[in-house]
Amino acid sequence: MASTNRRRHMFTAAFTAVTAAAACLVLGTPAQAATPYRFTLCSDGYYTSYAVFTASHSSTTLVDPGTCTTVGVAGQSKDVVELYQSNGRYIGFFSFNDAVGTGVSTTGTASAAGFYLW
């Protein structure tokens, strides 16, 4: 009888620990999501980057590795955004719709730069 109770307590403790860990993973790390009329650039690579909005001829500030910047972009409708390293080296481009908003992260190293949208 004591052995059965001990197993039941061990199972309950293990189940509780697994459930708590799963809840922390799900609730503790919110998913990144785009916000309408906002543009967020994160430099997740090993270099400083910035974005240029080609239609309005404007750009973000320089974004250091490990940081992000967010700017309001209402009124730009559909635009092309070009991404660059701080030294002017081209990373890539994508289409942008301000009504949806966009988040983008630059990745990689200065010699192998890339990006992804979120």
Side-chain angles (χ1 to χ4, degrees), residues 14 32 39 50 62 68 71 93 107:
Q32 294 177 326
F39 176 84
Y50 66 98
L62 292 175
C68 299
V71 295
F93 76 96
T107 60

Side-chain angles (χ1 to χ4, degrees), residues 19-80:
T19 303
C24 288
L25 288 174
V26 171
L27 299 175
T29 55
Q32 294 177 326
T35 303
Y37 305 106
R38 296 273 184 234
F39 176 84
T40 300
L41 170 63
C42 295
S43 273
D44 292 330
Y46 292 95
Y47 53 89
T48 300
S49 58
Y50 66 98
V52 174
F53 299 91
T54 59
S56 64
H57 305 289
S58 61
S59 64
T60 65
T61 60
L62 292 175
V63 182
D64 291 326
T67 64
C68 299
T69 189
T70 299
V71 295
V73 289
Q76 293 189 9
S77 189
K78 293 187 169 82
D79 199 350
V80 172

Side-chain angles (χ1 to χ4, degrees), residues 78-115:
K78 293 187 169 82
D79 199 350
V80 172
V81 176
E82 296 178 337
L83 300 171
Y84 294 91
Q85 296 178 26
S86 61
N87 62 5
R89 190 174 197 182
Y90 181 74
I91 299 170
F93 76 96
F94 60 93
S95 295
F96 170 74
N97 181 347
D98 68 349
V100 176
T102 297
V104 61
S105 293
T106 55
T107 60
T109 63
S111 61
F115 71 95

